[in-house]
Amino acid sequence: MKELGLPSVVATGVGLIVATSCLLSLGQGSGTIGITFILSMAIACLVNIFTALSLSELNALMPNLTGGLAQYTMVTMGPFITIITMVGGYLVCNSITGSVECAMFGNTINSVFHTGIPSNVLCIVLLVALIIVNLNGVDMFAKIQDVVAYGLVFSLIAMGLLGIFHLGTGQVVSQPLVIDSSFSGVLSMVGIAFFLFLGCEFIIPIAKDVKNPRRNVPLGMVLSLLLVFLMQTFVVLGFHSYVTWSDLAASTAPHILYGTSLLGLAGTVWMVIVSVFAVVSTVNTVLSSLPQICAGMAKLGLLPDVFQRRNRKGVPYIGTLMIGGIMIFINATGLSTSSQLSFLILIGCVFWMICYIISNLNVLILRKRMPRAPRTFKVPLGPLFPILGILGNVIMIWNISGDPAERLSIYRICLLVFAFLAVYALVWIRKKMRIPLFRPMEIKNVMAMENDLYFITRKHRREEAALKGAKS
């Protein structure tokens, strides 16, 4: 199997970060406060870099773990917290947001081309194609990912520069650069800006397939975040020249609006291509990384053993088929016509932010418990960056929506989901795993579980113990 170089690592990070829904958030944020939204983006990007560094340290301490955050949290906080955060924060969240991405893809295609084909049918066709791609292994994933991710970056930077230098064929708009320059205004948009930088940690589950992971994993995550920030900055500045802020804030497809205003029909088609790149890049990354996380959780006993099964390409195909099937089901049942897409995305963001808080806490806990354990990478300046990462995510949860009523609704739904997951975790741990809810697993056992011999040896020991018990 060919190893992934730094360009593929960065493409994976960019792949999940830049989504069609990000383009929606980018337009709404900049349309609300003007180019000062770039400051909101800078704050959100910096907080996510803190989390990326924390995850890099965890990966350096426990390298090549297929479950990533699940295994880190199992070592620090035990199975109960691990199941709640991972099933809610990654499996449920990403299945929803991935489905939303597909839905927006279908809606965008039909809003421009009026194909007559139902939007959810377009979504399902795309999903089936990407499931087949990912069942063919990491080599095929990397080929697709490199093309769409870098095509996406090039397109958005080019469209931004055309707007900045007034090189479009459309009418240049005269309007103020800034709507709100107050710190409170900038801070109120940080929650929305967070979604623009979400997902670079999906590099972690493929770390075992990366060349020189000691360097390329942390560098790839940070570079992907900075590249996305640069690209989005160009787009916001381009927005200012060709679309009024009020139209941008009100649009449900601001990227299409901008493309049309900038270059007419050619800009519309170009932005549709950008949308296709974004959804393929995002869903491709989800279908590649989530099954690896499921396999890692299964090794810990947090999910059924069936998720560890792999095909001849080394792909944990049960997870791929399950996650792809969930997305197909959600879109087949009408998500494509839902008016609640952005609301669902914000709910997913809160789950994700909580996972990021847990990631930073994991670093602090393991530094306390294992200060002298060898780490090939360590977050600089002691506990400062993990603590700032925690505080930053708490602030973004508080500012998840500018509408107080919507914010309360998001909190209620998240609490209900966590309550349901708590019941599931309690039953699963008591009945299936039969271990204490909050007892951390020893790091040596978690590391050993990556080797199949661990389970063979454990099975033989249990059989021997059972045989001795029967004889006695």
Side-chain angles (χ1 to χ4, degrees):
M1 182 184 295
K2 184 180 178 181
E3 290 184 317
L4 303 177
L6 182 61
S8 293
V9 175
V10 174
T12 300
V14 171
L16 198 75
I17 295 171
V18 182
T20 312
S21 46
C22 286
L23 300 175
L24 173 63
S25 299
L26 187 64
Q28 290 179 338
S30 54
T32 302
I33 64 174
I35 68 163
T36 43
F37 185 60
I38 294 172
L39 298 177
S40 303
M41 296 192 316
I43 294 171
C45 181
L46 185 61
V47 172
N48 280 23
I49 286 176
F50 294 153
T51 301
L53 294 175
S54 289
L55 285 163
S56 296
E57 178 172 330
L58 293 169
N59 181 63
L61 182 64
M62 294 174 276
N64 301 330
L65 298 184
T66 51
L69 182 57
Q71 286 150 311
Y72 308 148
T73 309
M74 191 71 173
V75 168
T76 58
M77 302 183 189
F80 186 76
I81 301 297
T82 302
I83 288 178
I84 291 176
T85 55
M86 289 305 300
V87 176
Y90 273 89
L91 304 187
V92 174
C93 167
N94 279 284
S95 295
I96 292 173
T97 55
S99 301
V100 169
E101 284 303 309
C102 290
M104 293 186 71
F105 158 77
N107 293 342
T108 298
I109 294 296
N110 275 334
S111 68
V112 175
F113 298 112
H114 309 289
T115 63
I117 302 172
S119 295
N120 56 356
V121 173
L122 295 174
C123 300
I124 292 169
V125 170
L126 176 67
L127 278 167
V128 169
L130 289 177
I131 289 169
I132 293 171
V133 165
N134 279 276
L135 288 173
N136 277 280
V138 69
D139 293 345
M140 182 62 70
F141 159 78
K143 290 174 183 176
I144 296 293
Q145 196 65 20
D146 287 353
V147 171
V148 297
Y150 286 110
L152 180 64
V153 169
F154 169 78
S155 293
L156 288 178
I157 288 178
M159 294 289 273
L161 291 174
L162 288 173
I164 291 170
F165 294 107
H166 298 175
L167 299 176
T169 58
Q171 181 68 40
V172 176
V173 173
S174 178
Q175 62 179 339
L177 284 168
V178 176
I179 299 174
D180 187 349
S181 60
S182 67
F183 180 72
S184 60
V186 170
L187 198 61
S188 69
M189 291 289 107
V190 171
I192 292 175
F194 168 81
F195 190 62
L196 304 176
F197 303 98
L198 194 62
C200 72
E201 75 280 3
F202 270 63
I203 290 171
I204 296 292
I206 62 168
K208 60 183 174 51
D209 299 315
V210 172
K211 295 177 184 176
N212 191 10
R214 174 183 178 181
R215 177 183 74 101
N216 288 341
V217 168
L219 184 59
M221 286 199 282
V222 172
L223 285 178
S224 63
L225 288 167
L226 293 176
L227 182 60
V228 168
F229 173 72
L230 178 67
M231 174 184 66
Q232 291 169 340
T233 298
F234 286 154
V235 174
V236 170
L237 294 173
F239 281 162
H240 164 260
S241 299
Y242 283 90
V243 185
T244 62
W245 295 129
S246 56
D247 288 345
L248 201 61
S251 176
T252 57
H255 56 300
I256 301 295
L257 174 63
Y258 173 59
T260 304
S261 301
L262 180 70
L263 295 171
L265 178 60
T268 303
V269 174
W270 194 351
M271 275 302 187
V272 169
I273 294 172
V274 167
S275 299
V276 173
F277 279 165
V279 70
V280 169
S281 184
T282 300
V283 177
N284 194 42
T285 303
V286 169
L287 287 173
S288 173
S289 300
L290 277 187
Q292 298 288 354
I293 292 174
C294 289
M297 292 181 70
K299 287 181 179 179
L300 297 174
L302 301 173
L303 289 176
D305 289 339
V306 69
F307 286 100
Q308 293 190 66
R309 294 182 182 176
R310 296 178 181 269
N311 63 14
R312 60 186 180 86
K313 297 282 189 177
V315 178
Y317 66 96
I318 297 296
T320 302
L321 293 173
M322 182 198 73
I323 292 161
I326 290 173
M327 291 185 187
I328 289 174
F329 174 78
I330 291 175
N331 279 282
T333 53
L335 180 62
S336 301
T337 59
S338 173
S339 62
Q340 298 296 315
L341 295 182
S342 60
F343 181 69
L344 289 172
I345 289 170
L346 292 177
I347 292 172
C349 277
V350 172
F351 285 118
W352 224 317
M353 291 173 188
I354 291 170
C355 284
Y356 281 7
I357 291 172
I358 295 294
S359 297
N360 286 291
L361 282 172
N362 286 342
V363 171
L364 297 175
I365 291 171
L366 288 172
R367 282 190 179 181
K368 180 70 173 177
R369 290 181 187 168
M370 307 174 65
R372 298 183 181 179
R375 295 165 171 84
T376 56
F377 175 84
K378 193 170 184 178
V379 181
L381 301 180
L384 178 62
F385 286 170
I387 290 172
L388 289 176
I390 292 168
L391 293 176
N393 279 287
V394 169
I395 290 171
M396 289 190 290
I397 289 174
W398 181 253
N399 290 283
I400 191 63
S401 173
D403 181 357
E406 183 179 56
R407 186 164 61 243
L408 286 175
S409 296
I410 291 169
Y411 293 160
R412 290 192 194 101
I413 291 173
C414 289
L415 286 173
L416 285 173
V417 173
F418 276 127
F420 172 80
L421 290 173
V423 173
Y424 162 76
L426 182 65
V427 173
W428 180 263
I429 294 166
R430 291 296 192 195
K431 300 295 185 182
K432 178 67 176 179
M433 299 180 71
R434 298 180 181 178
I435 59 176
L437 297 177
F438 300 100
R439 178 184 292 173
M441 182 178 288
E442 289 189 34
I443 191 170
K444 63 180 183 180
N445 289 336
V446 172
M447 296 288 290
M449 285 180 179
E450 287 298 308
N451 193 316
D452 292 337
L453 289 175
Y454 174 90
F455 299 96
I456 296 172
T457 303
R458 186 175 66 175
K459 181 180 178 181
H460 288 166
R461 287 178 178 174
R462 288 177 177 175
E463 289 174 349
E464 289 174 0
L467 185 60
K468 289 179 180 178
K471 289 181 179 179
S472 60

